[in-house]
Amino acid sequence: MTKKLVLLISGRGSNLQSILRACQTGQIADAEIAAVISNRAEAPGLMMAQAAGIPTEVTDHRDFPSRAEFDTALQQQVDRYAPDLVVLAGFMRQLTDTFVEHYLGRLVNIHPSLLPAFPGLHTHARAIAQGVCWHGASVHFVIPELDAGPVIIQAAVPVHTDDDPARLAARVLAAEHEIYPRALNAVLSGWCSLKEGRVIWSTPVPSCADTAINPVITR
Ligand code: GRF
């Protein structure tokens, strides 16, 4: 049966685009994006989804008096689509514990760093300031603690001596577009799951997942 994804976004939507393409080409097997929900009406990703015929919705956090009330409304909206997986794709809101626990094991995020390094914002500038040689992206199951959930897949990219945050971000973003579809396919296929706070891979780990765990993407 076709698996359903609900994507939550706040902006540009380039990860949405890579996930959409992966659903269309079968890189993510037997899955469709059932809806894209944004907390910002002006998010460019919404137009991209509409052009692809995907239902879109906006729930603006500024219309709610508290974080809890916003998350309750969001949860009701998401649940209407009965998703197999809820995918945070540049969703720039911190979620309440109640929301996260409702979807535990079915809620994933992509973060632009090699977690646990650089949780939070401005990861590229912080990586350059720290002088690290490698930076990257992580796909992880979401737990209540911010950017601290168990990692499913990471991709590393080199930090060049003449990098500025924008150049480094572009290199990391290309890696994000490679690993997010792979991670979603692995979770939806049942190859990996969240159990007792850890990511468990089915054994034997399928060979295509082997290469996906830590691909080093150098461009
Ligand atoms: C990405 O860098 C993602 O890692 C972070 O927000 C950004 C979203 O970009 N969480 P886009 O909207 O998918 O282009």
Side-chain angles (χ1 to χ4, degrees):
M1 216 172 62
T2 304
K3 301 269 176 57
K4 286 197 260 177
L5 307 176
V6 167
L7 268 62
L8 304 187
I9 67 165
S10 298
R12 181 176 53 184
S14 70
N15 278 287
L16 152 66
Q17 195 168 27
S18 80
I19 293 164
L20 174 62
R21 194 175 313 118
C23 288
Q24 289 168 338
T25 60
Q27 190 197 354
I28 302 176
D30 299 324
E32 65 176 18
I33 301 178
V36 173
I37 301 173
S38 173
N39 66 315
R40 293 193 175 278
E42 68 278 14
L46 285 173
M47 279 187 288
M48 202 183 288
Q50 284 156 7
I54 298 168
T56 60
E57 300 199 36
V58 176
T59 300
D60 191 326
H61 59 278
R62 291 167 299 192
D63 293 340
F64 295 86
S66 70
R67 194 176 285 277
E69 282 159 281
F70 168 69
D71 277 15
T72 301
L74 185 64
Q75 185 178 314
Q76 284 166 356
Q77 208 170 28
V78 171
D79 280 346
R80 279 207 290 278
Y81 295 94
D84 296 279
L85 208 52
V86 180
V87 178
L88 305 182
F91 185 66
M92 302 305 285
R93 296 287 304 165
Q94 232 172 298
L95 294 160
T96 56
D97 293 6
T98 310
F99 185 97
V100 171
E101 274 151 20
H102 181 71
Y103 297 107
L104 199 65
R106 294 189 296 138
L107 180 61
V108 293
N109 181 43
I110 190 157
H111 182 75
S113 80
L114 293 172
L115 291 171
F118 309 122
L121 297 174
H122 310 302
T123 59
H124 311 301
R126 288 158 63 204
I128 290 170
Q130 285 287 317
V132 297
C133 300
W134 292 91
H135 187 43
S138 307
V139 180
H140 63 93
F141 285 108
V142 177
I143 62 169
E145 196 184 337
L146 185 69
D147 298 331
V151 167
I152 300 166
I153 291 177
Q154 291 183 312
V157 302
V159 181
H160 299 159
T161 46
D162 60 347
D163 268 345
D164 59 28
R167 277 179 51 133
L168 182 55
R171 196 173 307 122
V172 170
L173 193 64
E176 294 184 33
H177 298 161
E178 301 250 359
I179 62 171
Y180 216 176
R182 294 190 201 203
L184 298 181
N185 189 48
V187 175
L188 290 170
S189 304
W191 298 340
C192 93
S193 56
L194 181 69
K195 292 222 173 64
E196 293 167 5
R198 301 189 54 178
V199 174
I200 306 294
W201 287 86
S202 57
T203 49
V205 176
S207 57
C208 39
D210 268 344
T211 54
I213 293 170
N214 276 305
V216 174
I217 296 166
T218 52
R219 68 169 161 254

